[in-house]
Every structure is written in C-alpha cells, then in structure tokens.
Amino acid sequence: QVQLVESGGDLVQPGASLRLSCAASGRIFSINVMGWYRQAPGKQRELVADITSGGRSRYADAVKGRFTISRDNAKNTVYLQMNSLKPEDTAVYYCNLKLETLDYWGQGTQVTVSP
C-alpha cells in the first residue's frame, strides 16, 4: 500500500511564494515518477511538473521559470517551490506517484492566490 501526504497550501497574495511538500510511504520501488497536478473549478486536472527518480523534470509552460520541482529520494518526498504566484495559479494541487503501472494520488492541498 502506498500513501501520499501533502502539505503547504495556503492563501497568499500575488507575487508571494509557497513550498508544497509530499511524502510517500509504503512499498515504493526505486524507479518512479513523482509530480504535481492541479485542478481549478470547472477545469480538467493538469500536470504542473514532475520529476523522475534520476532527477529529470518537466514543467507546464504556464509555470516555467516560476516553479521548481525537486525530490529527496531517501525520504521519498517531492517538493514544489512556487514563486511569483499569480491568481491563475489558484487550484487544488495534487501530489502524484507513478509506480510501475499504478497511479497514486494525495488528498490535495488548496492554493489560493488573491489580492
């Protein structure tokens, strides 16, 4: 069984920064992909960023240059550093783990960017 526990969401003003964390526990194999997705009301869930066990990352165009994904393999934890936040970033952010053919999700953490 695999569980993802995420934290760090908050209500902030435009231009602020937040750091999201997600710790995975359970039977996790070494080769995996961890990432962050977000979903705004009325919108489809979309990839924000993800990162492989080897440290290779990718980002949605909307967050490139502002967000940074990183991971600590020893702790099975993935982070998302979000800088220069915009109102358009408001969404529920979900941690994701792709392990072999399985897909695991965190409970979601709310990020609200409002003046």
Side-chain angles (χ1 to χ4, degrees):
Q1 301 294 318
V2 175
Q3 284 191 325
L4 303 176
V5 180
E6 58 198 298
S7 62
D10 203 356
L11 169 63
V12 299
Q13 295 182 339
S17 296
L18 283 174
R19 184 176 178 86
L20 306 183
S21 299
C22 174
S25 62
R27 299 181 65 185
I28 303 171
F29 296 95
S30 297
I31 301 175
N32 60 65
V33 178
M34 299 187 74
W36 292 94
Y37 292 71
R38 67 186 183 186
Q39 187 168 25
K43 300 292 185 66
Q44 293 285 317
R45 187 173 300 185
E46 64 177 1
L47 172 71
V48 177
D50 61 14
I51 184 168
T52 68
S53 301
R56 184 168 297 176
S57 60
R58 61 177 180 172
Y59 298 88
D61 288 342
V63 307
K64 286 182 179 178
R66 299 188 297 120
F67 292 9
T68 302
I69 191 169
S70 61
R71 64 186 292 165
D72 185 336
N73 289 333
K75 296 181 178 180
N76 291 317
T77 300
V78 64
Y79 307 93
L80 185 67
Q81 178 66 44
M82 304 185 294
N83 298 327
S84 301
L85 282 163
K86 305 174 180 179
E88 307 93 273
D89 297 318
T90 296
V92 177
Y93 284 69
Y94 296 92
C95 181
N96 171 259
L97 170 65
K98 298 186 185 299
L99 183 61
E100 295 185 340
T101 62
L102 300 179
D103 211 21
Y104 298 92
W105 296 93
Q107 79 285 358
T109 184
Q110 177 70 50
V111 172
T112 302
V113 185
S114 179

